[in-house]
Amino acid sequence: MAADAVQELRQQCLKRGAAGIKGLGRTFRIMDDDGSKSLNFQEFDKGLENYGVSVGRDRAQRIFAMMDKDGSGTINFDEFLENLRPPMSSARKQTIDQAFQKFDKTGDGVVTIEDLQGVYNGKHHPKYKSGEWTEEQVFRSFLENFDSPYDKDGKVTLEEFVNYYSGVSASVDSDEYFITMMKNAWKL
């Protein structure tokens, strides 16, 4: 069954840590030679192999077919990542949304360096203290944690924020613990 194969692929990605799904997306973007933001089966299969994810050719074909919703013979990266994102409870989603709203000081749906000022104190960062980085460089480094690996634009959208925390969420069994962690981290 394709759903079982997707679950197996998701688990293999998550074994690689929170960046597993983002890392797979980055690998696939590298495989996208024509810049079409989609992969045919050969690119998909090769991408899995290069990433070290072994689901077997039959399972890879089933996963590919399930993700190729329109039967075009290609899959979209965002759709692929959406299929791999582990399901989250509504309580976790709500907490992630609250953290993003706090993060997004201007309320425009995108977090930038300007939003960080007043929310994140970069002056305690070791590289700032040593004089190696400016406060702006500290902010950029912080944003890169959440920014999409294939579109480093210095801006973080809600989708990128959710993608980051879906990886974190997958490694935390208890809703209570995840929510407490988020509340403490973001002072919610």
Side-chain angles (χ1 to χ4, degrees), residues 65-132:
M66 187 178 96
M67 292 182 180
D68 181 16
K69 303 279 188 213
D70 61 3
S72 66
T74 62
I75 56 172
N76 171 293
F77 282 114
D78 296 328
E79 186 176 26
F80 178 79
L81 291 177
E82 187 178 306
N83 277 286
L84 283 181
R85 184 184 301 146
M88 281 191 284
S89 69
S90 60
R92 288 184 189 211
K93 288 179 190 171
Q94 186 176 24
T95 305
I96 292 169
D97 284 346
Q98 286 174 350
F100 185 82
Q101 298 313 317
K102 182 171 184 178
F103 201 18
D104 179 18
K105 281 292 189 197
T106 58
D108 63 359
V110 178
V111 176
T112 62
I113 287 175
E114 292 74 34
D115 290 299
L116 281 182
Q117 294 165 338
V119 177
Y120 178 70
N121 185 349
K123 292 182 177 171
H124 297 294
H125 193 283
K127 288 192 176 184
Y128 178 84
K129 284 182 168 182
S130 72
E132 193 176 335

Side-chain angles (χ1 to χ4, degrees), residues 1-2 4-9 12 41 44 48 54-65:
M1 178 178 239
D4 292 340
V6 170
Q7 179 63 24
E8 182 180 333
L9 178 57
Q12 287 195 36
F41 179 72
F44 175 79
L48 291 179
S54 59
V55 293
R57 189 167 179 85
D58 290 346
R59 282 188 166 209
Q61 285 175 327
R62 287 195 299 265
I63 294 169
F64 187 86

Side-chain angles (χ1 to χ4, degrees), residues 9 13 21-33 35 37-41 43-51 53 63-64 67 75-78 80-81 84 150:
L9 178 57
C13 291
I21 290 172
K22 290 175 84 172
L24 188 57
R26 183 173 48 251
T27 299
F28 279 24
R29 292 211 184 270
I30 290 167
M31 299 297 298
D32 183 18
D33 293 329
K37 296 188 178 178
S38 63
L39 296 174
N40 62 34
F41 179 72
E43 290 172 318
F44 175 79
D45 195 38
K46 185 177 178 185
L48 291 179
E49 186 179 314
N50 289 343
Y51 192 70
V53 174
I63 294 169
F64 187 86
M67 292 182 180
I75 56 172
N76 171 293
F77 282 114
D78 296 328
F80 178 79
L81 291 177
L84 283 181
Y150 46 82

Side-chain angles (χ1 to χ4, degrees), residues 151-163:
D151 184 21
K152 293 274 186 207
D153 58 4
K155 300 173 185 173
V156 178
T157 64
L158 177 59
E159 182 182 1
E160 289 170 329
F161 197 70
V162 169
N163 280 339

